[in-house]
Amino acid sequence: MGQVVTQARFRFTRSPLLLIVGLAFCVGVLCVCFMASVLLGAAEIDSQTVWQAIFQFNGSTEHLIIRTVRMPRAILAVVVGAALAVAGAITQGLTRNALAAPDILGINAGAALAMVLTIFLRVSDRNVWFAFGGAAIATLTVYWLGSMGRTGLTPLKLVIAGSALAYLLNSLMYGLLILNQRTLDEIRFWLAGSLAGQDIAGMLPILPYILAGLLGSLALSRQLTLLSLGEDVAQGLGLQTTWVKVAAAIVVVLLAGSAVALAGPISFVGLVVPHVVRFSVGVDYRWILPYAMITGGILLSLSDLAARLVIPPQELPVGIMTALVGAPFFIYLARSRIKQ
């Protein structure tokens, strides 16, 4: 009887045809956002010039702006948004905690501190492996802190431990920056979360890790769905929960570390997007993860576009725009959880 109930819960909660149509619609919206990100900016460039810059590059100023500034930025918004959203969806599935996300649990802060340390010590120029190391150490630390006590690991203790760790790591990071003005000047914009100043050459070494993380998440989608039903249920169905958790944690470290290395510690994308997607498509991670990839790209593209256009010709870090959306959403979630 229990297995029948579990299988019923595991079925699609929406019509597969409707989900496919919805996914195609989201892809269309993402394409529109991408083109808007390339077309719009401080410099007014018409669509014909944009087309020529992509396919008939002649080295003019307008073509250079499209090729070296706007195109890399538009690609970065899609890639980083997808990485953060999927990392957040996996984190919430692993912990079965609506408030969980890489930035809330201190994972992004660990990666950012590691990157700042490399610049402060002149070890390397924001090497992605240091971001992975910082994210991994933060993940293990928050799990250890959340598991302390007689009650063991609980969703509430995990969020409290993650928030405390994030504050500690951020304090250490800003303490280092106060000691070294040069380091602060180099990465001030990056610290607030920014897509500016990154070119294709700088992105290429990190993109394979994001691709590996996204493909790994899709490979784990069925196992994550079972795990989200409860560890006892998953084990009863023969799932090796320990290995699934380890593999999923590695995927989160890859995605969060890569995103921080590319664009800084952008907040709330990993918190907001999975909730929006889950409300739309149900509890099956075979649909949650593809939708999260696309919706994350849409959210970060729109946020970056708003950051560029709100006070032209100046621009704001994209992390400020995502915080304006995510902070009220986090407060709403926290209040709803307390009422429960």
PDB file of all heavy atoms in Angstrom, residues 240-280:
ATOM      1  N   GLN A 240      20.021   4.368  -2.924  1.00  0.00           N
ATOM      2  CA  GLN A 240      21.229   4.547  -2.110  1.00  0.00           C
ATOM      3  C   GLN A 240      21.344   6.033  -1.771  1.00  0.00           C
ATOM      4  O   GLN A 240      22.010   6.803  -2.463  1.00  0.00           O
ATOM      5  CB  GLN A 240      22.463   4.061  -2.876  1.00  0.00           C
ATOM      6  CG  GLN A 240      22.438   2.589  -3.229  1.00  0.00           C
ATOM      7  CD  GLN A 240      22.540   1.689  -2.001  1.00  0.00           C
ATOM      8  OE1 GLN A 240      23.203   2.046  -1.024  1.00  0.00           O
ATOM      9  NE2 GLN A 240      21.897   0.534  -2.041  1.00  0.00           N
ATOM     10  N   THR A 241      20.680   6.419  -0.692  1.00  0.00           N
ATOM     11  CA  THR A 241      20.538   7.845  -0.395  1.00  0.00           C
ATOM     12  C   THR A 241      21.871   8.532  -0.113  1.00  0.00           C
ATOM     13  O   THR A 241      22.055   9.702  -0.465  1.00  0.00           O
ATOM     14  CB  THR A 241      19.592   8.048   0.805  1.00  0.00           C
ATOM     15  OG1 THR A 241      20.095   7.307   1.923  1.00  0.00           O
ATOM     16  CG2 THR A 241      18.195   7.557   0.473  1.00  0.00           C
ATOM     17  N   THR A 242      22.800   7.825   0.510  1.00  0.00           N
ATOM     18  CA  THR A 242      24.086   8.447   0.831  1.00  0.00           C
ATOM     19  C   THR A 242      24.826   8.862  -0.422  1.00  0.00           C
ATOM     20  O   THR A 242      25.332   9.994  -0.531  1.00  0.00           O
ATOM     21  CB  THR A 242      24.958   7.483   1.652  1.00  0.00           C
ATOM     22  OG1 THR A 242      24.280   7.145   2.861  1.00  0.00           O
ATOM     23  CG2 THR A 242      26.303   8.130   1.993  1.00  0.00           C
ATOM     24  N   TRP A 243      24.870   7.974  -1.396  1.00  0.00           N
ATOM     25  CA  TRP A 243      25.581   8.285  -2.644  1.00  0.00           C
ATOM     26  C   TRP A 243      24.860   9.370  -3.437  1.00  0.00           C
ATOM     27  O   TRP A 243      25.507  10.212  -4.074  1.00  0.00           O
ATOM     28  CB  TRP A 243      25.746   7.026  -3.487  1.00  0.00           C
ATOM     29  CG  TRP A 243      26.708   6.047  -2.898  1.00  0.00           C
ATOM     30  CD1 TRP A 243      26.430   4.835  -2.334  1.00  0.00           C
ATOM     31  CD2 TRP A 243      28.122   6.222  -2.791  1.00  0.00           C
ATOM     32  NE1 TRP A 243      27.570   4.231  -1.882  1.00  0.00           N
ATOM     33  CE2 TRP A 243      28.638   5.058  -2.144  1.00  0.00           C
ATOM     34  CE3 TRP A 243      29.009   7.225  -3.162  1.00  0.00           C
ATOM     35  CZ2 TRP A 243      29.997   4.887  -1.874  1.00  0.00           C
ATOM     36  CZ3 TRP A 243      30.360   7.064  -2.894  1.00  0.00           C
ATOM     37  CH2 TRP A 243      30.836   5.904  -2.263  1.00  0.00           C
ATOM     38  N   VAL A 244      23.550   9.358  -3.386  1.00  0.00           N
ATOM     39  CA  VAL A 244      22.801  10.413  -4.082  1.00  0.00           C
ATOM     40  C   VAL A 244      23.095  11.773  -3.458  1.00  0.00           C
ATOM     41  O   VAL A 244      23.301  12.766  -4.154  1.00  0.00           O
ATOM     42  CB  VAL A 244      21.290  10.112  -4.033  1.00  0.00           C
ATOM     43  CG1 VAL A 244      20.486  11.301  -4.578  1.00  0.00           C
ATOM     44  CG2 VAL A 244      20.967   8.863  -4.839  1.00  0.00           C
ATOM     45  N   LYS A 245      23.137  11.829  -2.129  1.00  0.00           N
ATOM     46  CA  LYS A 245      23.434  13.085  -1.438  1.00  0.00           C
ATOM     47  C   LYS A 245      24.836  13.577  -1.768  1.00  0.00           C
ATOM     48  O   LYS A 245      25.049  14.776  -1.999  1.00  0.00           O
ATOM     49  CB  LYS A 245      23.288  12.903   0.070  1.00  0.00           C
ATOM     50  CG  LYS A 245      21.853  12.741   0.550  1.00  0.00           C
ATOM     51  CD  LYS A 245      21.818  12.560   2.058  1.00  0.00           C
ATOM     52  CE  LYS A 245      20.408  12.424   2.570  1.00  0.00           C
ATOM     53  NZ  LYS A 245      20.348  12.239   4.041  1.00  0.00           N
ATOM     54  N   VAL A 246      25.806  12.663  -1.793  1.00  0.00           N
ATOM     55  CA  VAL A 246      27.181  13.053  -2.113  1.00  0.00           C
ATOM     56  C   VAL A 246      27.264  13.587  -3.540  1.00  0.00           C
ATOM     57  O   VAL A 246      27.872  14.638  -3.799  1.00  0.00           O
ATOM     58  CB  VAL A 246      28.136  11.861  -1.913  1.00  0.00           C
ATOM     59  CG1 VAL A 246      29.523  12.189  -2.474  1.00  0.00           C
ATOM     60  CG2 VAL A 246      28.241  11.487  -0.439  1.00  0.00           C
ATOM     61  N   ALA A 247      26.656  12.855  -4.481  1.00  0.00           N
ATOM     62  CA  ALA A 247      26.684  13.292  -5.885  1.00  0.00           C
ATOM     63  C   ALA A 247      25.979  14.635  -6.049  1.00  0.00           C
ATOM     64  O   ALA A 247      26.464  15.523  -6.771  1.00  0.00           O
ATOM     65  CB  ALA A 247      26.030  12.233  -6.769  1.00  0.00           C
ATOM     66  N   ALA A 248      24.828  14.812  -5.381  1.00  0.00           N
ATOM     67  CA  ALA A 248      24.101  16.071  -5.485  1.00  0.00           C
ATOM     68  C   ALA A 248      24.894  17.218  -4.860  1.00  0.00           C
ATOM     69  O   ALA A 248      24.895  18.342  -5.390  1.00  0.00           O
ATOM     70  CB  ALA A 248      22.735  15.935  -4.809  1.00  0.00           C
ATOM     71  N   ALA A 249      25.587  16.954  -3.751  1.00  0.00           N
ATOM     72  CA  ALA A 249      26.410  17.995  -3.122  1.00  0.00           C
ATOM     73  C   ALA A 249      27.545  18.417  -4.048  1.00  0.00           C
ATOM     74  O   ALA A 249      27.882  19.608  -4.139  1.00  0.00           O
ATOM     75  CB  ALA A 249      26.965  17.488  -1.795  1.00  0.00           C
ATOM     76  N   ILE A 250      28.148  17.452  -4.743  1.00  0.00           N
ATOM     77  CA  ILE A 250      29.211  17.782  -5.702  1.00  0.00           C
ATOM     78  C   ILE A 250      28.666  18.665  -6.822  1.00  0.00           C
ATOM     79  O   ILE A 250      29.310  19.637  -7.246  1.00  0.00           O
ATOM     80  CB  ILE A 250      29.830  16.492  -6.266  1.00  0.00           C
ATOM     81  CG1 ILE A 250      30.598  15.747  -5.172  1.00  0.00           C
ATOM     82  CG2 ILE A 250      30.747  16.796  -7.452  1.00  0.00           C
ATOM     83  CD1 ILE A 250      31.086  14.377  -5.585  1.00  0.00           C
ATOM     84  N   VAL A 251      27.466  18.343  -7.301  1.00  0.00           N
ATOM     85  CA  VAL A 251      26.846  19.154  -8.355  1.00  0.00           C
ATOM     86  C   VAL A 251      26.605  20.575  -7.860  1.00  0.00           C
ATOM     87  O   VAL A 251      26.873  21.558  -8.572  1.00  0.00           O
ATOM     88  CB  VAL A 251      25.520  18.506  -8.814  1.00  0.00           C
ATOM     89  CG1 VAL A 251      24.723  19.473  -9.688  1.00  0.00           C
ATOM     90  CG2 VAL A 251      25.799  17.222  -9.580  1.00  0.00           C
ATOM     91  N   VAL A 252      26.111  20.727  -6.629  1.00  0.00           N
ATOM     92  CA  VAL A 252      25.862  22.060  -6.070  1.00  0.00           C
ATOM     93  C   VAL A 252      27.164  22.846  -5.955  1.00  0.00           C
ATOM     94  O   VAL A 252      27.215  24.039  -6.282  1.00  0.00           O
ATOM     95  CB  VAL A 252      25.179  21.946  -4.690  1.00  0.00           C
ATOM     96  CG1 VAL A 252      25.138  23.301  -3.992  1.00  0.00           C
ATOM     97  CG2 VAL A 252      23.765  21.400  -4.845  1.00  0.00           C
ATOM     98  N   VAL A 253      28.229  22.197  -5.502  1.00  0.00           N
ATOM     99  CA  VAL A 253      29.529  22.863  -5.380  1.00  0.00           C
ATOM    100  C   VAL A 253      30.023  23.312  -6.759  1.00  0.00           C
ATOM    101  O   VAL A 253      30.525  24.439  -6.914  1.00  0.00           O
ATOM    102  CB  VAL A 253      30.549  21.933  -4.696  1.00  0.00           C
ATOM    103  CG1 VAL A 253      31.974  22.488  -4.843  1.00  0.00           C
ATOM    104  CG2 VAL A 253      30.208  21.761  -3.223  1.00  0.00           C
ATOM    105  N   LEU A 254      29.895  22.456  -7.760  1.00  0.00           N
ATOM    106  CA  LEU A 254      30.310  22.822  -9.124  1.00  0.00           C
ATOM    107  C   LEU A 254      29.548  24.041  -9.630  1.00  0.00           C
ATOM    108  O   LEU A 254      30.137  24.992 -10.156  1.00  0.00           O
ATOM    109  CB  LEU A 254      30.095  21.644 -10.077  1.00  0.00           C
ATOM    110  CG  LEU A 254      31.126  20.513 -10.078  1.00  0.00           C
ATOM    111  CD1 LEU A 254      30.675  19.396 -11.000  1.00  0.00           C
ATOM    112  CD2 LEU A 254      32.497  21.030 -10.512  1.00  0.00           C
ATOM    113  N   LEU A 255      28.230  24.007  -9.469  1.00  0.00           N
ATOM    114  CA  LEU A 255      27.403  25.085 -10.011  1.00  0.00           C
ATOM    115  C   LEU A 255      27.584  26.386  -9.230  1.00  0.00           C
ATOM    116  O   LEU A 255      27.769  27.453  -9.827  1.00  0.00           O
ATOM    117  CB  LEU A 255      25.936  24.663  -9.995  1.00  0.00           C
ATOM    118  CG  LEU A 255      25.565  23.503 -10.929  1.00  0.00           C
ATOM    119  CD1 LEU A 255      24.108  23.092 -10.724  1.00  0.00           C
ATOM    120  CD2 LEU A 255      25.806  23.880 -12.381  1.00  0.00           C
ATOM    121  N   ALA A 256      27.534  26.307  -7.903  1.00  0.00           N
ATOM    122  CA  ALA A 256      27.664  27.521  -7.093  1.00  0.00           C
ATOM    123  C   ALA A 256      29.064  28.104  -7.209  1.00  0.00           C
ATOM    124  O   ALA A 256      29.226  29.330  -7.352  1.00  0.00           O
ATOM    125  CB  ALA A 256      27.325  27.209  -5.634  1.00  0.00           C
ATOM    126  N   GLY A 257      30.092  27.254  -7.144  1.00  0.00           N
ATOM    127  CA  GLY A 257      31.463  27.744  -7.258  1.00  0.00           C
ATOM    128  C   GLY A 257      31.732  28.394  -8.598  1.00  0.00           C
ATOM    129  O   GLY A 257      32.359  29.456  -8.678  1.00  0.00           O
ATOM    130  N   SER A 258      31.249  27.779  -9.673  1.00  0.00           N
ATOM    131  CA  SER A 258      31.447  28.349 -11.009  1.00  0.00           C
ATOM    132  C   SER A 258      30.724  29.684 -11.156  1.00  0.00           C
ATOM    133  O   SER A 258      31.270  30.643 -11.725  1.00  0.00           O
ATOM    134  CB  SER A 258      30.938  27.369 -12.076  1.00  0.00           C
ATOM    135  OG  SER A 258      31.638  26.151 -12.035  1.00  0.00           O
ATOM    136  N   ALA A 259      29.492  29.754 -10.650  1.00  0.00           N
ATOM    137  CA  ALA A 259      28.721  30.990 -10.759  1.00  0.00           C
ATOM    138  C   ALA A 259      29.392  32.129 -10.001  1.00  0.00           C
ATOM    139  O   ALA A 259      29.473  33.260 -10.493  1.00  0.00           O
ATOM    140  CB  ALA A 259      27.302  30.763 -10.234  1.00  0.00           C
ATOM    141  N   VAL A 260      29.903  31.845  -8.805  1.00  0.00           N
ATOM    142  CA  VAL A 260      30.582  32.876  -8.021  1.00  0.00           C
ATOM    143  C   VAL A 260      31.876  33.313  -8.713  1.00  0.00           C
ATOM    144  O   VAL A 260      32.206  34.505  -8.755  1.00  0.00           O
ATOM    145  CB  VAL A 260      30.862  32.370  -6.596  1.00  0.00           C
ATOM    146  CG1 VAL A 260      31.777  33.340  -5.842  1.00  0.00           C
ATOM    147  CG2 VAL A 260      29.558  32.191  -5.834  1.00  0.00           C
ATOM    148  N   ALA A 261      32.621  32.358  -9.259  1.00  0.00           N
ATOM    149  CA  ALA A 261      33.865  32.696  -9.951  1.00  0.00           C
ATOM    150  C   ALA A 261      33.605  33.613 -11.143  1.00  0.00           C
ATOM    151  O   ALA A 261      34.402  34.512 -11.438  1.00  0.00           O
ATOM    152  CB  ALA A 261      34.564  31.415 -10.405  1.00  0.00           C
ATOM    153  N   LEU A 262      32.485  33.415 -11.823  1.00  0.00           N
ATOM    154  CA  LEU A 262      32.194  34.211 -13.011  1.00  0.00           C
ATOM    155  C   LEU A 262      31.574  35.565 -12.685  1.00  0.00           C
ATOM    156  O   LEU A 262      31.922  36.575 -13.300  1.00  0.00           O
ATOM    157  CB  LEU A 262      31.233  33.443 -13.932  1.00  0.00           C
ATOM    158  CG  LEU A 262      31.826  32.305 -14.756  1.00  0.00           C
ATOM    159  CD1 LEU A 262      30.718  31.522 -15.449  1.00  0.00           C
ATOM    160  CD2 LEU A 262      32.803  32.848 -15.793  1.00  0.00           C
ATOM    161  N   ALA A 263      30.644  35.591 -11.742  1.00  0.00           N
ATOM    162  CA  ALA A 263      29.836  36.797 -11.564  1.00  0.00           C
ATOM    163  C   ALA A 263      29.750  37.291 -10.136  1.00  0.00           C
ATOM    164  O   ALA A 263      29.005  38.241  -9.870  1.00  0.00           O
ATOM    165  CB  ALA A 263      28.422  36.535 -12.090  1.00  0.00           C
ATOM    166  N   GLY A 264      30.471  36.686  -9.199  1.00  0.00           N
ATOM    167  CA  GLY A 264      30.389  37.120  -7.818  1.00  0.00           C
ATOM    168  C   GLY A 264      29.229  36.464  -7.084  1.00  0.00           C
ATOM    169  O   GLY A 264      28.450  35.706  -7.671  1.00  0.00           O
ATOM    170  N   PRO A 265      29.073  36.764  -5.794  1.00  0.00           N
ATOM    171  CA  PRO A 265      28.037  36.125  -4.979  1.00  0.00           C
ATOM    172  C   PRO A 265      26.659  36.739  -5.189  1.00  0.00           C
ATOM    173  O   PRO A 265      26.171  37.533  -4.386  1.00  0.00           O
ATOM    174  CB  PRO A 265      28.541  36.353  -3.549  1.00  0.00           C
ATOM    175  CG  PRO A 265      29.353  37.598  -3.623  1.00  0.00           C
ATOM    176  CD  PRO A 265      29.988  37.616  -4.988  1.00  0.00           C
ATOM    177  N   ILE A 266      25.998  36.386  -6.298  1.00  0.00           N
ATOM    178  CA  ILE A 266      24.652  36.882  -6.592  1.00  0.00           C
ATOM    179  C   ILE A 266      23.649  36.133  -5.709  1.00  0.00           C
ATOM    180  O   ILE A 266      23.642  34.908  -5.667  1.00  0.00           O
ATOM    181  CB  ILE A 266      24.319  36.691  -8.080  1.00  0.00           C
ATOM    182  CG1 ILE A 266      25.277  37.523  -8.939  1.00  0.00           C
ATOM    183  CG2 ILE A 266      22.872  37.083  -8.364  1.00  0.00           C
ATOM    184  CD1 ILE A 266      25.109  37.308 -10.423  1.00  0.00           C
ATOM    185  N   SER A 267      22.804  36.878  -5.041  1.00  0.00           N
ATOM    186  CA  SER A 267      21.891  36.294  -4.057  1.00  0.00           C
ATOM    187  C   SER A 267      20.483  36.094  -4.609  1.00  0.00           C
ATOM    188  O   SER A 267      20.080  36.756  -5.571  1.00  0.00           O
ATOM    189  CB  SER A 267      21.807  37.199  -2.818  1.00  0.00           C
ATOM    190  OG  SER A 267      23.079  37.368  -2.235  1.00  0.00           O
ATOM    191  N   PHE A 268      19.767  35.163  -3.997  1.00  0.00           N
ATOM    192  CA  PHE A 268      18.324  34.963  -4.097  1.00  0.00           C
ATOM    193  C   PHE A 268      17.836  34.303  -5.388  1.00  0.00           C
ATOM    194  O   PHE A 268      16.676  33.903  -5.445  1.00  0.00           O
ATOM    195  CB  PHE A 268      17.569  36.280  -3.888  1.00  0.00           C
ATOM    196  CG  PHE A 268      17.719  36.827  -2.503  1.00  0.00           C
ATOM    197  CD1 PHE A 268      18.418  38.007  -2.280  1.00  0.00           C
ATOM    198  CD2 PHE A 268      17.197  36.161  -1.414  1.00  0.00           C
ATOM    199  CE1 PHE A 268      18.565  38.512  -1.002  1.00  0.00           C
ATOM    200  CE2 PHE A 268      17.342  36.662  -0.129  1.00  0.00           C
ATOM    201  CZ  PHE A 268      18.027  37.837   0.082  1.00  0.00           C
ATOM    202  N   VAL A 269      18.664  34.175  -6.417  1.00  0.00           N
ATOM    203  CA  VAL A 269      18.216  33.458  -7.617  1.00  0.00           C
ATOM    204  C   VAL A 269      17.932  31.997  -7.267  1.00  0.00           C
ATOM    205  O   VAL A 269      16.917  31.423  -7.675  1.00  0.00           O
ATOM    206  CB  VAL A 269      19.268  33.550  -8.742  1.00  0.00           C
ATOM    207  CG1 VAL A 269      18.847  32.694  -9.946  1.00  0.00           C
ATOM    208  CG2 VAL A 269      19.458  34.994  -9.172  1.00  0.00           C
ATOM    209  N   GLY A 270      18.827  31.390  -6.485  1.00  0.00           N
ATOM    210  CA  GLY A 270      18.653  29.998  -6.098  1.00  0.00           C
ATOM    211  C   GLY A 270      17.525  29.780  -5.117  1.00  0.00           C
ATOM    212  O   GLY A 270      17.099  28.634  -4.913  1.00  0.00           O
ATOM    213  N   LEU A 271      17.027  30.830  -4.498  1.00  0.00           N
ATOM    214  CA  LEU A 271      15.898  30.714  -3.580  1.00  0.00           C
ATOM    215  C   LEU A 271      14.571  30.914  -4.301  1.00  0.00           C
ATOM    216  O   LEU A 271      13.631  30.129  -4.126  1.00  0.00           O
ATOM    217  CB  LEU A 271      16.029  31.749  -2.453  1.00  0.00           C
ATOM    218  CG  LEU A 271      14.864  31.815  -1.467  1.00  0.00           C
ATOM    219  CD1 LEU A 271      14.828  30.564  -0.604  1.00  0.00           C
ATOM    220  CD2 LEU A 271      14.961  33.065  -0.598  1.00  0.00           C
ATOM    221  N   VAL A 272      14.468  31.950  -5.117  1.00  0.00           N
ATOM    222  CA  VAL A 272      13.196  32.338  -5.723  1.00  0.00           C
ATOM    223  C   VAL A 272      12.786  31.388  -6.840  1.00  0.00           C
ATOM    224  O   VAL A 272      11.637  30.905  -6.879  1.00  0.00           O
ATOM    225  CB  VAL A 272      13.282  33.786  -6.246  1.00  0.00           C
ATOM    226  CG1 VAL A 272      12.024  34.149  -7.023  1.00  0.00           C
ATOM    227  CG2 VAL A 272      13.507  34.761  -5.105  1.00  0.00           C
ATOM    228  N   VAL A 273      13.700  31.112  -7.770  1.00  0.00           N
ATOM    229  CA  VAL A 273      13.343  30.359  -8.969  1.00  0.00           C
ATOM    230  C   VAL A 273      12.773  28.970  -8.663  1.00  0.00           C
ATOM    231  O   VAL A 273      11.740  28.594  -9.232  1.00  0.00           O
ATOM    232  CB  VAL A 273      14.551  30.273  -9.920  1.00  0.00           C
ATOM    233  CG1 VAL A 273      14.260  29.302 -11.080  1.00  0.00           C
ATOM    234  CG2 VAL A 273      14.902  31.645 -10.464  1.00  0.00           C
ATOM    235  N   PRO A 274      13.397  28.157  -7.794  1.00  0.00           N
ATOM    236  CA  PRO A 274      12.817  26.829  -7.543  1.00  0.00           C
ATOM    237  C   PRO A 274      11.386  26.871  -7.014  1.00  0.00           C
ATOM    238  O   PRO A 274      10.568  26.005  -7.349  1.00  0.00           O
ATOM    239  CB  PRO A 274      13.769  26.225  -6.501  1.00  0.00           C
ATOM    240  CG  PRO A 274      15.063  26.918  -6.727  1.00  0.00           C
ATOM    241  CD  PRO A 274      14.691  28.316  -7.100  1.00  0.00           C
ATOM    242  N   HIS A 275      11.051  27.879  -6.209  1.00  0.00           N
ATOM    243  CA  HIS A 275       9.682  27.989  -5.701  1.00  0.00           C
ATOM    244  C   HIS A 275       8.706  28.328  -6.816  1.00  0.00           C
ATOM    245  O   HIS A 275       7.607  27.755  -6.886  1.00  0.00           O
ATOM    246  CB  HIS A 275       9.621  29.048  -4.604  1.00  0.00           C
ATOM    247  CG  HIS A 275      10.162  28.583  -3.294  1.00  0.00           C
ATOM    248  ND1 HIS A 275       9.453  27.787  -2.431  1.00  0.00           N
ATOM    249  CD2 HIS A 275      11.367  28.771  -2.710  1.00  0.00           C
ATOM    250  CE1 HIS A 275      10.179  27.510  -1.365  1.00  0.00           C
ATOM    251  NE2 HIS A 275      11.348  28.100  -1.507  1.00  0.00           N
ATOM    252  N   VAL A 276       9.087  29.251  -7.677  1.00  0.00           N
ATOM    253  CA  VAL A 276       8.228  29.605  -8.813  1.00  0.00           C
ATOM    254  C   VAL A 276       8.022  28.395  -9.712  1.00  0.00           C
ATOM    255  O   VAL A 276       6.890  28.093 -10.143  1.00  0.00           O
ATOM    256  CB  VAL A 276       8.850  30.774  -9.605  1.00  0.00           C
ATOM    257  CG1 VAL A 276       8.049  31.048 -10.873  1.00  0.00           C
ATOM    258  CG2 VAL A 276       8.929  32.027  -8.746  1.00  0.00           C
ATOM    259  N   VAL A 277       9.091  27.679  -9.984  1.00  0.00           N
ATOM    260  CA  VAL A 277       9.012  26.503 -10.861  1.00  0.00           C
ATOM    261  C   VAL A 277       8.183  25.402 -10.216  1.00  0.00           C
ATOM    262  O   VAL A 277       7.326  24.792 -10.865  1.00  0.00           O
ATOM    263  CB  VAL A 277      10.433  26.001 -11.190  1.00  0.00           C
ATOM    264  CG1 VAL A 277      10.375  24.636 -11.858  1.00  0.00           C
ATOM    265  CG2 VAL A 277      11.156  27.005 -12.080  1.00  0.00           C
ATOM    266  N   ARG A 278       8.423  25.135  -8.942  1.00  0.00           N
ATOM    267  CA  ARG A 278       7.696  24.067  -8.256  1.00  0.00           C
ATOM    268  C   ARG A 278       6.199  24.359  -8.216  1.00  0.00           C
ATOM    269  O   ARG A 278       5.375  23.451  -8.343  1.00  0.00           O
ATOM    270  CB  ARG A 278       8.263  23.884  -6.851  1.00  0.00           C
ATOM    271  CG  ARG A 278       7.932  22.540  -6.217  1.00  0.00           C
ATOM    272  CD  ARG A 278       8.615  22.375  -4.889  1.00  0.00           C
ATOM    273  NE  ARG A 278      10.059  22.204  -5.042  1.00  0.00           N
ATOM    274  CZ  ARG A 278      10.962  23.104  -4.698  1.00  0.00           C
ATOM    275  NH1 ARG A 278      10.595  24.251  -4.184  1.00  0.00           N
ATOM    276  NH2 ARG A 278      12.243  22.868  -4.866  1.00  0.00           N
ATOM    277  N   PHE A 279       5.845  25.604  -8.043  1.00  0.00           N
ATOM    278  CA  PHE A 279       4.433  25.995  -8.058  1.00  0.00           C
ATOM    279  C   PHE A 279       3.811  25.723  -9.430  1.00  0.00           C
ATOM    280  O   PHE A 279       2.634  25.371  -9.536  1.00  0.00           O
ATOM    281  CB  PHE A 279       4.303  27.477  -7.702  1.00  0.00           C
ATOM    282  CG  PHE A 279       2.895  28.004  -7.780  1.00  0.00           C
ATOM    283  CD1 PHE A 279       1.994  27.763  -6.755  1.00  0.00           C
ATOM    284  CD2 PHE A 279       2.484  28.737  -8.886  1.00  0.00           C
ATOM    285  CE1 PHE A 279       0.686  28.249  -6.834  1.00  0.00           C
ATOM    286  CE2 PHE A 279       1.183  29.220  -8.969  1.00  0.00           C
ATOM    287  CZ  PHE A 279       0.281  28.970  -7.951  1.00  0.00           C
ATOM    288  N   SER A 280       4.605  25.852 -10.484  1.00  0.00           N
ATOM    289  CA  SER A 280       4.087  25.721 -11.842  1.00  0.00           C
ATOM    290  C   SER A 280       4.058  24.281 -12.333  1.00  0.00           C
ATOM    291  O   SER A 280       3.120  23.883 -13.028  1.00  0.00           O
ATOM    292  CB  SER A 280       4.929  26.570 -12.811  1.00  0.00           C
ATOM    293  OG  SER A 280       4.951  27.920 -12.414  1.00  0.00           O
TER     294      SER A 280
END
